């Protein structure tokens, strides 16, 4: 039987230790799974489970104090495709907490719950970079940290929300308003390409008439 010399044993031991350290580092550096986790969805018309239970079944929640609604600026999409796009943009996956579908990839009106909501994490729908003034950075960071981000699938410059999208969006916003006591003037709608106003294809008057002005 050939007995390895001391030098060979030392080299083998170093190799094993090195591989163990590298494997551990790879596990630590491995990115977290991207959204949506578990494909969690809901609609206001579901009868098998109270939808509110899926929205607020968290042991600890952030102090959300506003709601922000954006359109995706594309005619089709879903949480899956938005997740891939936002990951490529360096946002770590889906930037919004909720996605309301238009029937292009997922059921019309279907509300998809993103991983940021499931984990009660900040949104990433407002960019923050070095070209911005410090005041703008602070404002955007505050919105990301305390604003519930909702993306409605569609390009509101070209086509309005479907009736089902609008009704489910209103239902979702009302649930969030009640839970976190968010008044109507803290619901921000920024859709279309206009810099200072929303596209006329979004029925904002109708939308706001359905919201809670004062939280019951």
């Amino acid at each position: 039987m050939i007995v390895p010399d001391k030098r060979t044993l030392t080299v083998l031991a170093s190799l094993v230790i090195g591989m163990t350290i590298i494997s551990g580092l790879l596990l630590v550096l491995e990115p977290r799974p991207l959204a949506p986790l578990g494909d969690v969805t809901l609609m206001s018309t579901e009868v098998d489970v109270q939808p509110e239970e899926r929205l607020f079944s968290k042991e600890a929640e952030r102090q959300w104090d506003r709601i922000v609604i954006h359109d995706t600026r594309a005619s089709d999409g879903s949480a899956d495709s938005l997740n891939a796009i936002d990951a490529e943009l360096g946002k770590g996956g889906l930037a919004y907490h909720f996605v309301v579908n238009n029937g292009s990839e997922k059921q019309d009106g279907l509300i998809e719950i993103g991983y940021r909501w499931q984990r009660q994490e900040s949104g990433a729908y407002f960019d923050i970079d070095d070209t911005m003034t410090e005041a703008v950075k602070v404002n955007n960071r505050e919105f990301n940290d305390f604003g519930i981000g909702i993306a409605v699938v569609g390009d509101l410059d070209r086509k309005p929300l479907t009736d089902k999208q609008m009704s489910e969006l209103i239902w979702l916003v009302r649930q969030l308003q009640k839970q976190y006591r968010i008044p109507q003037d803290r619901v921000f709608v920024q859709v279309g390409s206009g810099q200072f106003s929303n596209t006329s294809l979004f029925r904002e008057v109708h939308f706001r008439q359905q919201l809670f002005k004062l939280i019951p």
Side-chain angles (χ1 to χ4, degrees):
M1 181 178 67
I2 300 176
V3 179
D5 58 27
K6 184 177 181 181
R7 180 179 179 184
T8 301
L9 290 173
T10 301
V11 171
L12 289 173
S14 299
L15 181 62
V16 170
I17 293 172
M19 292 179 67
T20 301
I21 293 174
I22 292 173
S23 298
L25 287 172
L26 289 174
L27 287 173
V28 171
L29 296 175
E30 184 180 0
R32 293 183 299 179
L34 298 180
L37 300 181
D39 195 27
V40 181
T41 64
L42 60 88
M43 293 186 77
S44 64
T45 54
E46 293 181 11
V47 295
D48 59 326
V49 64
Q50 289 296 320
E52 294 86 346
E53 293 178 4
R54 298 189 200 173
L55 281 176
F56 309 121
S57 58
K58 303 288 183 293
E59 294 182 2
E61 295 180 321
R62 298 173 70 91
Q63 296 301 309
W64 306 107
D65 65 8
R66 69 200 76 178
I67 298 168
V68 181
I69 301 166
H70 290 160
D71 62 335
T72 62
R73 308 304 310 283
S75 59
D76 55 5
S78 66
D80 290 328
S81 54
L82 290 173
N83 180 66
I85 293 171
D86 288 342
E88 290 182 3
L89 293 174
K91 296 178 181 291
L94 184 65
Y96 293 87
H97 298 101
F98 298 95
V99 177
V100 184
N101 286 271
N102 66 352
S104 59
E105 293 183 8
K106 298 289 180 69
Q107 182 181 350
D108 186 15
L110 182 70
I111 300 168
E112 294 186 275
I113 304 176
Y115 80 103
R116 293 180 189 274
W117 186 254
Q118 295 177 55
R119 297 173 179 170
Q120 289 292 284
E121 294 181 355
S122 298
Y125 42 85
F126 280 127
D127 294 329
I128 300 172
D129 59 55
D130 293 336
T131 65
M132 300 173 176
T133 65
E134 191 60 33
V136 171
K137 288 182 183 179
V138 170
N139 179 74
N140 287 4
R141 188 175 293 113
E142 185 176 281
F143 266 88
N144 284 338
D145 286 344
F146 301 107
I148 303 170
I150 303 175
V152 290
V153 177
D155 183 350
L156 271 294
D157 281 332
R158 299 185 177 187
K159 190 176 181 180
L161 299 181
T162 68
D163 291 341
K164 191 63 177 175
Q165 259 187 309
M166 178 62 86
S167 64
E168 292 296 310
L169 173 64
I170 291 170
W171 177 85
L172 173 60
V173 171
R174 284 170 58 91
Q175 299 303 316
L176 296 171
Q177 280 188 283
K178 286 192 295 184
Q179 179 73 11
Y180 300 104
R181 305 196 64 76
I182 299 174
Q184 188 197 82
D185 61 3
R186 300 289 286 176
V187 178
F188 301 93
V189 181
Q190 299 176 343
V191 295
S193 59
Q195 186 175 0
F196 301 108
S197 62
N198 292 317
T199 168
S200 61
L201 292 180
F202 182 77
R203 297 179 291 160
E204 188 156 10
V205 173
H206 167 75
F207 171 74
R208 292 199 175 276
Q209 285 175 341
Q210 314 305 312
L211 303 186
F212 295 116
K213 293 182 175 62
L214 298 176
I215 309 304

